[in-house]
Amino acid sequence: VQAHRLCPPRGAGSSLEPEERSMEPPAVPEEEEEEEEGAVPLSMAPGPVGCQLFGYVGIEAVLEQMKIKTMKTGFEFNIMVVGQSGLGKSTMVNTLFKSKVSRKSSQPGQEERIPKTVQLQSITHIIQEKGVKMKLTVTDTPGFGDQINNENCWDPIIKYINEQYERYLREEILITRKRKIPDTRVHGCVYFVPPTGHWLRPLDLEFMRRLSKIVNVVPVIAKADTLTLEERAEFKQRIQEDLKTHAISVYPQEDFDQDPEDRALNGRIREKIPFAVVGADQEHQVNGKRVLGRKTKWGIIEVENPAHCEFPLLRDLLIRSHLQDLKDITHNVHYESYRVRRLNESNLPG
């Protein structure tokens, strides 16, 4: 029986005309007959099968759907800044988002008093740009490292981060839970290193060693305009050596690179870490343009000029290129580790 006898006659208006093929099984080459019984042919091996489209389907429209949904619902981003008083944490946050979002700037008229202990303070803003809404939460750590005895001064910070994981976990394991769980987990921690020009202090090393295991830590050299270019390069090299010697993995972590492109991009970023940054929330006139910068006796330090400081690299990392990656690693790595540990503890007898 031939295959063409089972098909409708040609000329019936169908452009997909079947070829005449015999229903008899094809001849098997002698080499394949000698294969072991039960072996799976290469053509039958499981795996993704490519399919060539012969017309427009519209699969790419899902990107536009995701964009429209994100613009309607918005997204959340939580950042923590840690460092001694006077290193410009509040100014840096205001410079990052080009608005008054820091704790200090949101409380005008109040006397700035540095607490004697590390009391974490958070403030939330809704930032909107070109129709995209972002719920930004900035957590400041006044009093960190300001005391004579700074023993265990990182404990309140670790406790706060774990409390946000615990809050998310409790919402997640409810039988009837919310469609969208409020996300207060810290997605990134910017650690401000004093511009001493020497090696990292024991306080810096111990903080980053402990915190890098539970949150994405991004170290920066604060007030880098107090160092010359030679001092800055030498200080950065010493910090990189310290991090490598003490096996401290800061963001972006080398273990989490997904593909060669990410590995190459993150490799270039790791060569620049820690970023030497300068913060400023005031504009100045330079060559007929309004730029953010700091005015000194020698001129104006332009914050967004890569020749003056590395603030653009920090901004691109936190906002323009790796914001979603910060959130993904927080959820898939740090929060997942906390969730597994907590569920294992709850399953222990007694």
Side-chain angles (χ1 to χ4, degrees), residues 53-195:
L53 304 179
F54 52 83
Y56 178 74
V57 177
I59 300 175
E60 63 176 2
V62 70
L63 298 176
E64 187 66 22
Q65 297 173 32
M66 295 171 63
K67 177 182 177 181
I68 294 174
K69 186 174 182 180
T70 303
M71 292 180 68
K72 288 182 179 179
T73 60
F75 61 97
E76 298 156 321
F77 184 60
N78 309 316
I79 187 173
M80 174 184 285
V81 288
V82 181
Q84 287 183 338
S85 302
L87 291 181
K89 300 188 298 296
S90 301
T91 304
M92 179 58 61
V93 173
N94 292 339
T95 310
L96 274 173
F97 299 98
K98 293 188 177 180
S99 56
K100 303 292 185 179
V101 296
S102 68
R103 171 185 55 86
K104 185 185 300 184
S105 61
S106 63
Q107 300 172 350
Q110 296 186 10
E111 182 182 358
E112 179 67 18
R113 298 181 59 186
I114 301 174
K116 296 181 179 180
T117 58
V118 182
Q119 298 177 355
L120 278 73
Q121 301 180 3
S122 299
I123 185 167
T124 301
H125 298 270
I126 302 295
I127 299 178
Q128 188 166 352
E129 183 182 34
K130 294 184 178 180
V132 180
K133 292 186 297 184
M134 179 175 71
K135 183 180 180 182
L136 173 68
T137 301
V138 180
T139 303
D140 197 358
T141 56
F144 175 83
D146 291 342
Q147 310 306 314
I148 297 177
N149 183 7
N150 291 306
E151 185 178 3
N152 298 329
C153 62
W154 46 77
D155 284 348
I157 299 175
I158 295 177
K159 180 182 178 182
Y160 175 84
I161 295 174
N162 287 331
E163 283 177 352
Q164 310 316 308
Y165 290 150
E166 181 70 21
R167 180 179 300 181
Y168 193 92
L169 177 61
R170 291 186 179 277
E171 290 285 345
E172 193 177 44
I173 62 178
L174 291 176
I175 297 177
T176 304
R177 58 186 181 184
K178 302 175 182 177
R179 291 186 59 185
K180 184 178 181 182
I181 301 176
D183 190 3
T184 60
R185 299 168 296 180
V186 178
H187 301 128
C189 174
V190 182
Y191 185 74
F192 288 73
V193 178

Side-chain angles (χ1 to χ4, degrees), residues 16 49 63 80 129 148 234 244 252 265:
L16 300 177
V49 180
L63 298 176
M80 174 184 285
E129 183 182 34
I148 297 177
E234 187 177 356
K244 186 176 181 180
L265 173 61

Side-chain angles (χ1 to χ4, degrees), residues 284-291 302:
H284 300 276
Q285 193 82 13
V286 177
N287 298 328
K289 297 181 180 180
R290 303 290 295 180
V291 297
E302 300 178 31

Side-chain angles (χ1 to χ4, degrees), residues 205-218:
L205 291 171
E206 190 64 21
F207 175 86
M208 287 191 280
R209 185 184 69 83
R210 292 173 179 264
L211 268 292
S212 61
K213 298 177 182 178
I214 62 174
V215 72
N216 299 313
V217 177
V218 180

Side-chain angles (χ1 to χ4, degrees), residues 250-292:
V250 297
Y251 184 85
Q253 299 91 336
E254 192 171 357
D255 297 338
F256 303 148
D257 293 343
Q258 298 292 331
D259 52 56
E261 291 184 2
D262 291 344
R263 194 175 300 111
L265 173 61
N266 293 340
R268 292 193 295 269
I269 294 174
R270 281 187 285 267
E271 292 176 357
K272 298 290 185 179
I273 284 181
F275 301 125
V277 298
V278 177
D281 49 11
Q282 294 183 356
E283 289 186 339
H284 300 276
Q285 193 82 13
V286 177
N287 298 328
K289 297 181 180 180
R290 303 290 295 180
V291 297
L292 285 172

